[in-house]
Amino acid sequence: MGARLRVFLTHEQDQTLLNLRKQNVPQKVKDRAEVIRLNAHGWYVENIAAHFDWNEKTVRKVLNTWEKLGLKGLWESPGRGGKPKWKEDDIAFLEECLRIEPRTYNSPQLALKLKTERNVVLSPDRLRRVLKKGVDWKRARKSHKGKQDPVARANKQADLDMLELAAATGEIDLKYLDESGFCVWSEPGYTYYFRGEQKRLEQTKRRGRRLSIIGFLQPFISFVYGLVIGGVDRKSYIKMMEQEATEAQEIGRTRVIVQDNGPIHRCQEVQQLWKKWESQGLYIFFLPKYCSEMNPIELEWQHIKKDELSGQAFDDELDLAYAVINGVQARGEKSNHSTRRVKFNSKPSD
């Protein structure tokens, strides 16, 4: 095996690549910039490939191009062929509309907007191909970003970057905690089916109770979780945290848990345990309010729901629980991390 491929960045280069996240550049450019930063912060090629769901050759190509061309290599080279009827400013106009307008758009609506406001005629099909260069067709979600405190977010992001760097160099164990939930009934999504017919998913007679999950994600290493019927309460949360504190004390390593400001995370009973956990080597890093996107475990919930459970109907809560367990295991195999389920009111289980 040859030497590990590794790039080295100056502080100015690292900041330049980090600032690309907020700039109006194609998503591919942002992804390539993040690949370079992760590698410079100690991530191996195979870890980066798993994180982005890319081929390892693609990651190596990005790193080698950076070494040869620098910042210029993040952008696509101009191609040959017929000149487009549209200009980059037209697409930038649409992208800005998608970003700032409080509504959703499909391709026919965007094509009409381009025609009426820019006098550019593109078919919806052609526009979809053009937008693929920087915009994906994806489900929208509710957001509280407008409620964020930008100063608090920036300060917390800087602190989190330092924690991630310490974890990458092996100084600490960094885990991300969150809770989510699943229902026996789910909204049907898109599917391939026979032309002229519509696929129908029969719902069960009862909606069933909510199945909740609490999890600790240590990227590329482990995912520890527990399942409960109903909501995750403070007792379940405390049991999971007590286990993390005990493990930190046994191995003698500092462990930091990144989490949001949920009520069970800050209730009086939990606060009384903070000093005890810190004495065992377990510390809590609270994310700023309304900044759930800073927690990568949110992506795990999305993948489980979208990739592993989407389009399925479940007979009852037990059937749903088995599907979630299988989904978590499948995600572990894809992301190259181990999985362990904690059974409440019993001993931990693999």
Side-chain angles (χ1 to χ4, degrees), residues 180-184 209-213 304-305 309 320 324:
S180 188
F182 311 89
C183 292
V184 173
R209 291 171 294 175
R210 176 184 174 88
L211 177 70
S212 295
I213 183 172
I304 292 173
K305 293 178 180 180
L309 303 182
L320 173 61
V324 172

Side-chain angles (χ1 to χ4, degrees), residues 24-56:
N24 184 22
V25 298
Q27 185 60 43
K28 288 184 178 180
V29 174
K30 297 180 181 181
D31 290 344
R32 291 166 185 155
E34 189 65 13
V35 165
I36 295 166
R37 291 190 69 246
L38 290 175
N39 182 257
H41 288 183
W43 287 38
Y44 295 144
V45 169
E46 55 268 27
N47 297 141
I48 299 173
H51 180 66
F52 283 94
D53 197 18
W54 288 4
N55 189 286
E56 292 182 15

